[in-house]
Coordinates of all heavy atoms in Angstrom, one line a residue:
M67 N -0.9 11.4 17.3 CA -1.5 11.6 16.0 C -0.3 12.1 15.0 O 0.4 12.9 15.4 CB -2.6 12.7 16.2 CG -3.4 12.8 15.0 SD -4.8 11.7 15.1 CE -5.6 12.0 13.7
R68 N -0.4 11.5 13.8 CA 0.6 11.9 12.8 C 0.2 13.2 12.1 O -1.0 13.5 11.9 CB 0.8 10.7 11.8 CG 1.1 9.5 12.4 CD 2.6 9.4 12.7 NE 2.9 8.1 13.2 CZ 3.9 7.9 14.1 NH1 4.6 8.9 14.6 NH2 4.2 6.7 14.5
T69 N 1.2 13.9 11.6 CA 0.9 15.1 10.8 C 0.6 14.7 9.4 O 1.0 13.6 8.9 CB 2.1 16.1 10.9 OG1 3.2 15.5 10.2 CG2 2.5 16.4 12.3
E70 N 0.1 15.6 8.7 CA -0.3 15.3 7.2 C 1.0 15.0 6.5 O 1.0 14.1 5.6 CB -0.9 16.6 6.6 CG -1.3 16.4 5.2 CD -2.1 17.6 4.6 OE1 -2.6 18.4 5.4 OE2 -2.2 17.7 3.4
N71 N 2.1 15.7 6.7 CA 3.4 15.5 6.1 C 3.9 14.1 6.4 O 4.5 13.4 5.5 CB 4.4 16.5 6.4 CG 4.1 17.8 5.7 OD1 3.5 17.9 4.7 ND2 4.7 18.9 6.2
Q72 N 3.8 13.6 7.6 CA 4.3 12.3 8.0 C 3.4 11.2 7.2 O 4.0 10.2 6.8 CB 4.1 12.1 9.5 CG 5.1 12.9 10.3 CD 4.8 12.8 11.8 OE1 3.7 12.8 12.2 NE2 5.9 12.6 12.6
I73 N 2.2 11.4 7.2 CA 1.3 10.5 6.4 C 1.7 10.4 5.0 O 1.8 9.3 4.4 CB -0.2 10.8 6.7 CG1 -0.5 10.6 8.1 CG2 -1.1 9.9 5.7 CD1 -1.9 11.1 8.5
K74 N 1.8 11.6 4.4 CA 2.2 11.6 2.9 C 3.6 11.0 2.7 O 3.8 10.3 1.7 CB 2.3 13.1 2.5 CG 0.9 13.7 2.2 CD 1.0 15.1 1.8 CE -0.3 15.8 1.6 NZ -0.3 17.2 1.1
S75 N 4.5 11.2 3.6 CA 5.8 10.6 3.5 C 5.7 9.1 3.6 O 6.4 8.3 2.9 CB 6.7 11.2 4.6 OG 8.0 10.5 4.6
K76 N 4.9 8.6 4.5 CA 4.7 7.1 4.6 C 4.0 6.5 3.4 O 4.4 5.5 2.9 CB 3.9 6.8 5.9 CG 3.8 5.3 6.3 CD 5.3 4.8 6.6 CE 5.2 3.4 7.0 NZ 6.5 2.9 7.4
I77 N 3.1 7.3 2.9 CA 2.4 6.8 1.6 C 3.4 6.7 0.5 O 3.5 5.7 -0.3 CB 1.3 7.7 1.2 CG1 0.1 7.6 2.1 CG2 0.8 7.4 -0.2 CD1 -1.1 8.6 2.0
N78 N 4.3 7.7 0.4 CA 5.4 7.7 -0.6 C 6.4 6.5 -0.4 O 6.7 5.8 -1.3 CB 6.1 9.0 -0.6 CG 7.1 9.2 -1.7 OD1 6.7 8.8 -2.9 ND2 8.3 9.6 -1.4
E79 N 6.8 6.3 0.8 CA 7.7 5.2 1.2 C 7.0 3.9 0.8 O 7.6 3.0 0.2 CB 8.0 5.2 2.6 CG 8.8 4.0 3.1 CD 8.9 4.0 4.6 OE1 8.8 5.1 5.3 OE2 9.0 2.9 5.2
L80 N 5.8 3.7 1.1 CA 5.0 2.4 0.8 C 4.9 2.3 -0.7 O 5.0 1.1 -1.3 CB 3.7 2.3 1.5 CG 3.8 2.2 3.0 CD1 2.4 2.3 3.6 CD2 4.5 1.0 3.5
S81 N 4.6 3.3 -1.4 CA 4.5 3.3 -2.9 C 5.8 2.9 -3.5 O 5.7 2.2 -4.5 CB 4.0 4.7 -3.4 OG 2.7 5.0 -2.9
M82 N 6.9 3.4 -3.0 CA 8.2 3.0 -3.6 C 8.5 1.5 -3.3 O 8.9 0.8 -4.2 CB 9.3 3.9 -2.9 CG 9.2 5.3 -3.3 SD 9.3 5.6 -5.0 CE 11.0 5.2 -5.4
Q83 N 8.1 1.0 -2.2 CA 8.2 -0.4 -1.8 C 7.4 -1.3 -2.8 O 7.7 -2.3 -3.3 CB 7.8 -0.7 -0.4 CG 8.8 -0.3 0.6 CD 8.3 -0.6 2.0 OE1 7.5 -1.4 2.2 NE2 8.9 0.1 3.0
K84 N 6.1 -0.7 -3.1 CA 5.2 -1.4 -4.0 C 5.8 -1.5 -5.4 O 5.7 -2.6 -6.1 CB 3.9 -0.8 -4.0 CG 2.9 -1.5 -4.9 CD 1.5 -0.9 -4.6 CE 0.5 -1.6 -5.5 NZ 0.4 -3.0 -5.5
K85 N 6.4 -0.4 -5.8 CA 7.0 -0.4 -7.2 C 8.1 -1.3 -7.3 O 8.3 -2.1 -8.2 CB 7.5 1.1 -7.4 CG 7.6 1.4 -8.9 CD 8.0 2.9 -9.1 CE 6.8 3.8 -8.9 NZ 7.1 5.2 -9.3
K86 N 8.9 -1.4 -6.2 CA 10.1 -2.4 -6.2 C 9.5 -3.8 -6.2 O 10.0 -4.7 -6.9 CB 10.9 -2.1 -4.9 CG 12.2 -3.0 -4.9 CD 12.9 -2.8 -3.6 CE 13.7 -1.5 -3.7 NZ 14.7 -1.4 -2.6
M87 N 8.4 -4.0 -5.5 CA 7.8 -5.3 -5.4 C 7.3 -5.8 -6.7 O 7.5 -6.9 -7.2 CB 6.7 -5.3 -4.4 CG 6.0 -6.6 -4.1 SD 6.9 -7.6 -2.9 CE 7.1 -6.5 -1.5
Q88 N 6.7 -4.8 -7.5 CA 6.2 -5.1 -8.8 C 7.3 -5.5 -9.8 O 7.1 -6.3 -10.7 CB 5.3 -4.0 -9.3 CG 4.0 -4.0 -8.5 CD 3.1 -2.8 -8.9 OE1 3.6 -1.8 -9.4 NE2 1.9 -2.8 -8.5
T89 N 8.4 -4.8 -9.6 CA 9.6 -5.1 -10.4 C 10.1 -6.5 -10.2 O 10.4 -7.3 -11.1 CB 10.7 -4.1 -10.2 OG1 10.2 -2.8 -10.4 CG2 11.9 -4.3 -11.1
L90 N 10.1 -6.9 -8.9 CA 10.5 -8.3 -8.6 C 9.6 -9.3 -9.1 O 10.0 -10.3 -9.6 CB 10.6 -8.4 -7.0 CG 11.8 -7.7 -6.4 CD1 11.6 -7.8 -4.9 CD2 13.2 -8.2 -6.8
L91 N 8.2 -9.0 -9.0 CA 7.2 -10.0 -9.4 C 7.3 -10.1 -11.0 O 7.2 -11.2 -11.5 CB 5.8 -9.4 -9.1 CG 5.4 -9.7 -7.7 CD1 4.1 -8.9 -7.3 CD2 5.1 -11.2 -7.5
A92 N 7.6 -9.0 -11.7 CA 7.7 -9.2 -13.1 C 8.9 -10.0 -13.6 O 8.8 -10.7 -14.7 CB 7.8 -7.7 -13.7
A93 N 9.9 -10.0 -12.8 CA 11.1 -10.8 -13.2 C 10.9 -12.3 -12.8 O 11.7 -13.1 -13.3 CB 12.3 -10.3 -12.4
L94 N 9.9 -12.7 -12.0 CA 9.8 -14.0 -11.6 C 8.9 -14.8 -12.5 O 8.0 -14.2 -13.2 CB 9.1 -14.1 -10.2 CG 9.9 -13.7 -9.0 CD1 9.1 -13.8 -7.7 CD2 11.1 -14.7 -8.8
E95 N 9.2 -16.1 -12.7 CA 8.3 -16.9 -13.4 C 6.9 -17.2 -12.7 O 6.9 -17.0 -11.5 CB 9.0 -18.3 -13.7 CG 10.2 -18.2 -14.5 CD 10.8 -19.5 -14.7 OE1 10.1 -20.6 -14.5 OE2 12.0 -19.6 -15.1
E96 N 5.9 -17.5 -13.5 CA 4.6 -17.7 -12.9 C 4.5 -18.7 -11.9 O 3.8 -18.6 -10.9 CB 3.6 -18.1 -14.0 CG 3.1 -17.0 -14.9 CD 2.3 -15.9 -14.2 OE1 1.4 -16.4 -13.4 OE2 2.4 -14.7 -14.4
N97 N 5.3 -19.8 -12.0 CA 5.2 -20.9 -11.0 C 6.3 -20.8 -9.9 O 6.6 -21.8 -9.3 CB 5.3 -22.2 -11.7 CG 6.5 -22.4 -12.6 OD1 7.2 -21.5 -12.7 ND2 6.6 -23.6 -13.2
S98 N 7.0 -19.7 -9.8 CA 8.0 -19.5 -8.9 C 7.5 -19.6 -7.5 O 6.5 -19.0 -7.2 CB 8.7 -18.2 -9.1 OG 9.7 -17.9 -8.1
P99 N 8.2 -20.3 -6.5 CA 7.8 -20.4 -5.1 C 7.7 -19.0 -4.4 O 6.9 -18.8 -3.5 CB 8.7 -21.3 -4.5 CG 9.8 -21.6 -5.4 CD 9.4 -21.0 -6.7
E100 N 8.5 -18.1 -4.8 CA 8.6 -16.8 -4.1 C 7.4 -15.9 -4.5 O 7.1 -14.9 -3.9 CB 9.9 -16.0 -4.4 CG 11.1 -16.7 -3.9 CD 11.7 -17.6 -5.0 OE1 11.3 -17.5 -6.2 OE2 12.7 -18.4 -4.6
R101 N 6.8 -16.2 -5.6 CA 5.7 -15.4 -6.2 C 4.6 -15.2 -5.3 O 4.0 -14.1 -5.1 CB 5.3 -15.9 -7.5 CG 4.4 -15.1 -8.3 CD 4.2 -15.5 -9.7 NE 3.3 -14.6 -10.5 CZ 3.7 -13.5 -11.0 NH1 5.0 -13.1 -10.9 NH2 2.8 -12.8 -11.7
A102 N 4.1 -16.3 -4.7 CA 3.0 -16.2 -3.7 C 3.2 -15.3 -2.6 O 2.4 -14.5 -2.2 CB 2.6 -17.7 -3.3
S103 N 4.4 -15.4 -2.0 CA 4.9 -14.6 -0.9 C 4.8 -13.1 -1.3 O 4.4 -12.2 -0.6 CB 6.2 -15.0 -0.3 OG 6.6 -14.1 0.6
L104 N 5.5 -12.8 -2.4 CA 5.5 -11.4 -3.0 C 4.1 -10.9 -3.3 O 3.8 -9.7 -3.0 CB 6.4 -11.4 -4.2 CG 7.9 -11.6 -3.9 CD1 8.7 -11.5 -5.2 CD2 8.4 -10.5 -3.0
L105 N 3.2 -11.7 -3.8 CA 1.9 -11.2 -4.0 C 1.2 -11.0 -2.7 O 0.4 -9.9 -2.7 CB 1.1 -12.3 -4.8 CG 1.4 -12.5 -6.3 CD1 0.8 -13.7 -6.9 CD2 1.1 -11.2 -7.1
N106 N 1.4 -11.7 -1.7 CA 0.8 -11.4 -0.4 C 1.3 -10.1 0.2 O 0.6 -9.2 0.7 CB 1.0 -12.5 0.6 CG 0.2 -13.7 0.3 OD1 -0.8 -13.6 -0.3 ND2 0.7 -14.9 0.8
Q107 N 2.6 -9.9 0.0 CA 3.2 -8.6 0.5 C 2.7 -7.4 -0.3 O 2.5 -6.4 0.3 CB 4.7 -8.7 0.4 CG 5.4 -9.6 1.4 CD 6.9 -9.7 1.2 OE1 7.5 -8.8 0.9 NE2 7.4 -10.9 1.4
D108 N 2.5 -7.7 -1.6 CA 2.0 -6.6 -2.5 C 0.6 -6.2 -2.1 O 0.3 -5.0 -2.0 CB 2.0 -7.1 -3.9 CG 1.7 -6.0 -4.9 OD1 2.3 -4.9 -4.9 OD2 0.8 -6.2 -5.7
A109 N -0.2 -7.2 -1.8 CA -1.6 -6.9 -1.3 C -1.6 -6.2 0.0 O -2.4 -5.3 0.2 CB -2.4 -8.2 -1.2
R110 N -0.7 -6.5 0.9 CA -0.6 -5.9 2.2 C -0.2 -4.4 2.0 O -0.7 -3.5 2.7 CB 0.4 -6.7 3.0 CG 0.4 -6.1 4.5 CD 1.0 -7.1 5.4 NE 1.1 -6.6 6.7 CZ 2.2 -6.2 7.4 NH1 3.4 -6.4 6.8 NH2 2.1 -5.7 8.6
L111 N 0.8 -4.2 1.1 CA 1.1 -2.8 0.9 C -0.1 -2.0 0.3 O -0.3 -0.8 0.7 CB 2.3 -2.7 -0.2 CG 3.6 -3.1 0.4 CD1 4.7 -3.2 -0.8 CD2 4.1 -2.1 1.4
D112 N -0.9 -2.6 -0.6 CA -2.0 -1.9 -1.1 C -3.0 -1.5 0.1 O -3.5 -0.4 0.1 CB -2.8 -2.9 -2.1 CG -2.3 -2.7 -3.5 OD1 -1.8 -1.6 -3.8 OD2 -2.6 -3.6 -4.3
D113 N -3.2 -2.5 1.0 CA -4.1 -2.2 2.1 C -3.6 -1.1 3.0 O -4.3 -0.2 3.4 CB -4.3 -3.5 3.0 CG -5.1 -4.5 2.3 OD1 -5.8 -4.2 1.3 OD2 -5.0 -5.7 2.8
M114 N -2.3 -1.1 3.2 CA -1.7 0.0 4.1 C -1.8 1.3 3.4 O -2.1 2.3 4.1 CB -0.2 -0.4 4.5 CG -0.2 -1.6 5.3 SD 1.5 -2.3 5.9 CE 2.7 -1.4 5.1
I115 N -1.5 1.4 2.1 CA -1.6 2.6 1.4 C -3.0 3.2 1.4 O -3.3 4.4 1.7 CB -1.1 2.5 0.0 CG1 0.4 2.3 -0.1 CG2 -1.4 3.7 -0.9 CD1 1.0 1.8 -1.4
T116 N -4.0 2.3 1.2 CA -5.4 2.6 1.2 C -5.8 3.2 2.5 O -6.5 4.2 2.6 CB -6.3 1.4 0.8 OG1 -5.9 1.0 -0.5 CG2 -7.8 1.8 0.8
M117 N -5.4 2.6 3.6 CA -5.8 3.0 4.9 C -5.2 4.4 5.2 O -5.9 5.3 5.8 CB -5.3 2.0 6.0 CG -6.2 0.8 6.1 SD -6.0 -0.3 7.5 CE -4.2 -0.5 7.6
L118 N -4.0 4.6 4.8 CA -3.4 5.9 5.0 C -4.0 7.0 4.2 O -4.2 8.1 4.7 CB -1.8 5.9 4.7 CG -1.0 5.2 5.7 CD1 0.4 5.0 5.2 CD2 -1.0 5.9 7.1
E119 N -4.4 6.6 3.0 CA -5.1 7.6 2.1 C -6.5 7.9 2.7 O -6.9 9.1 2.7 CB -5.2 7.1 0.7 CG -4.0 7.1 -0.1 CD -4.1 6.4 -1.4 OE1 -5.0 5.6 -1.6 OE2 -3.1 6.6 -2.3
W120 N -7.1 7.0 3.3 CA -8.4 7.2 4.0 C -8.2 8.2 5.1 O -9.0 9.0 5.3 CB -9.0 5.8 4.5 CG -10.4 6.0 5.0 CD1 -11.5 6.0 4.3 CD2 -10.8 6.2 6.3 NE1 -12.6 6.2 5.1 CE2 -12.2 6.3 6.4 CE3 -10.1 6.4 7.5 CZ2 -12.9 6.5 7.5 CZ3 -10.8 6.6 8.7 CH2 -12.2 6.7 8.7
V121 N -7.1 8.0 5.9 CA -6.8 8.9 7.0 C -6.6 10.3 6.5 O -7.1 11.3 7.0 CB -5.7 8.4 7.9 CG1 -5.2 9.5 8.8 CG2 -6.0 7.1 8.6
L122 N -5.8 10.4 5.4 CA -5.5 11.7 4.8 C -6.6 12.4 4.2 O -6.8 13.6 4.4 CB -4.3 11.5 3.8 CG -3.5 12.7 3.4 CD1 -2.9 13.4 4.6 CD2 -2.5 12.3 2.4
F123 N -7.4 11.7 3.5 CA -8.6 12.2 2.8 C -9.9 11.6 3.3 O -10.5 10.7 2.6 CB -8.5 11.9 1.2 CG -7.1 12.3 0.7 CD1 -6.2 11.3 0.2 CD2 -6.8 13.6 0.5 CE1 -5.0 11.7 -0.3 CE2 -5.5 14.0 0.0 CZ -4.7 13.1 -0.4
E124 N -10.2 12.0 4.5 CA -11.3 11.4 5.2 C -12.6 11.5 4.4 O -12.9 12.5 3.9 CB -11.5 12.1 6.6 CG -12.5 11.4 7.4 CD -12.6 12.1 8.7 OE1 -11.7 12.7 9.2 OE2 -13.7 12.0 9.4
P125 N -13.3 10.4 4.2 CA -14.5 10.5 3.3 C -15.6 11.3 4.0 O -15.6 11.4 5.3 CB -15.0 9.0 3.3 CG -14.1 8.2 4.2 CD -13.0 9.1 4.7
S126 N -16.4 11.9 3.2 CA -17.5 12.7 3.7 C -18.8 12.1 3.4 O -18.8 11.2 2.6 CB -17.5 14.1 3.2 OG -17.6 14.1 1.8
G127 N -19.8 12.5 4.1 CA -21.1 11.9 3.9 C -21.5 10.8 4.9 O -20.8 10.7 5.9
S128 N -22.6 10.2 4.7 CA -23.1 9.3 5.6 C -23.0 7.8 5.1 O -23.2 7.6 3.9 CB -24.6 9.6 5.9 OG -25.2 8.6 6.8
Y129 N -22.7 6.9 6.0 CA -22.6 5.5 5.5 C -24.0 4.9 5.6 O -24.2 3.8 5.0 CB -21.6 4.7 6.5 CG -20.2 5.2 6.3 CD1 -19.6 6.0 7.2 CD2 -19.5 4.8 5.2 CE1 -18.3 6.4 7.0 CE2 -18.2 5.1 5.0 CZ -17.6 6.0 5.9 OH -16.3 6.3 5.7
H130 N -24.9 5.5 6.3 CA -26.2 4.9 6.5 C -27.2 5.8 5.8 O -27.4 7.0 6.1 CB -26.6 4.8 8.0 CG -25.6 4.0 8.7 ND1 -25.5 2.6 8.7 CD2 -24.7 4.4 9.6 CE1 -24.5 2.2 9.4 NE2 -24.0 3.3 10.0
M131 N -27.9 5.3 4.8 CA -28.9 6.1 4.0 C -30.3 5.8 4.5 O -30.7 4.9 5.0 CB -28.7 5.8 2.6 CG -27.3 6.0 2.1 SD -27.4 7.3 0.9 CE -25.6 7.6 0.7

Protein backbone atom coordinates (compact mmCIF):
# COMPACT_ATOMS: atom_id res chain seq x y z
CA MET A 1 0.00 0.00 0.00
CA ARG A 2 1.29 3.46 -0.90
CA THR A 3 1.51 6.28 1.61
CA GLU A 4 -0.44 9.51 1.18
CA ASN A 5 2.78 11.37 0.35
CA GLN A 6 3.69 8.84 -2.35
CA ILE A 7 0.25 9.21 -3.93
CA LYS A 8 0.44 13.02 -3.82
CA SER A 9 3.91 12.88 -5.35
CA LYS A 10 2.67 10.65 -8.19
CA ILE A 11 -0.31 12.96 -8.81
CA ASN A 12 2.11 15.89 -9.01
CA GLU A 13 4.40 13.99 -11.40
CA LEU A 14 1.49 13.06 -13.67
CA SER A 15 0.16 16.62 -13.56
CA MET A 16 3.53 17.92 -14.72
CA GLN A 17 3.54 15.38 -17.57
CA LYS A 18 0.02 16.50 -18.52
CA LYS A 19 1.10 20.14 -18.56
CA LYS A 20 4.04 19.27 -20.82
CA MET A 21 1.72 17.23 -23.06
CA GLN A 22 -0.70 20.15 -23.39
CA THR A 23 2.19 22.43 -24.37
CA LEU A 24 3.20 19.97 -27.09
CA LEU A 25 -0.41 19.70 -28.29
CA ALA A 26 -0.76 23.47 -28.50
CA ALA A 27 2.32 23.65 -30.74
CA LEU A 28 1.01 21.03 -33.18
CA GLU A 29 -1.26 21.71 -36.13
CA GLU A 30 -4.79 20.28 -36.04
CA ASN A 31 -4.09 17.70 -38.75
CA SER A 32 -0.68 16.62 -37.43
CA PRO A 33 -0.20 12.83 -37.29
CA GLU A 34 1.32 13.04 -33.79
CA ARG A 35 -1.75 14.83 -32.44
CA ALA A 36 -3.95 11.71 -32.13
CA SER A 37 -1.27 9.86 -30.20
CA LEU A 38 -0.71 12.78 -27.84
CA LEU A 39 -4.46 13.15 -27.28
CA ASN A 40 -4.64 9.46 -26.29
CA GLN A 41 -1.73 9.89 -23.90
CA ASP A 42 -3.37 13.02 -22.46
CA ALA A 43 -6.61 11.12 -21.83
CA ARG A 44 -4.68 8.29 -20.18
CA LEU A 45 -2.91 10.76 -17.88
CA ASP A 46 -6.33 12.19 -16.94
CA ASP A 47 -7.57 8.71 -16.07
CA MET A 48 -4.51 7.91 -13.97
CA ILE A 49 -4.74 11.21 -12.07
CA THR A 50 -8.45 10.67 -11.43
CA MET A 51 -7.85 7.16 -10.08
CA LEU A 52 -5.13 8.37 -7.74
CA GLU A 53 -7.31 11.21 -6.52
CA TRP A 54 -10.08 8.71 -5.86
CA VAL A 55 -7.68 6.62 -3.76
CA LEU A 56 -6.49 9.71 -1.89
CA PHE A 57 -9.94 11.23 -1.35
CA GLU A 58 -12.09 8.13 -1.06
CA PRO A 59 -15.72 8.98 -1.78
CA SER A 60 -18.19 8.64 1.05
CA GLY A 61 -21.78 7.59 0.91
CA SER A 62 -23.62 4.80 -0.77
CA TYR A 63 -23.62 3.95 -4.44
CA HIS A 64 -26.96 2.18 -4.11
CA MET A 65 -29.92 4.28 -3.10
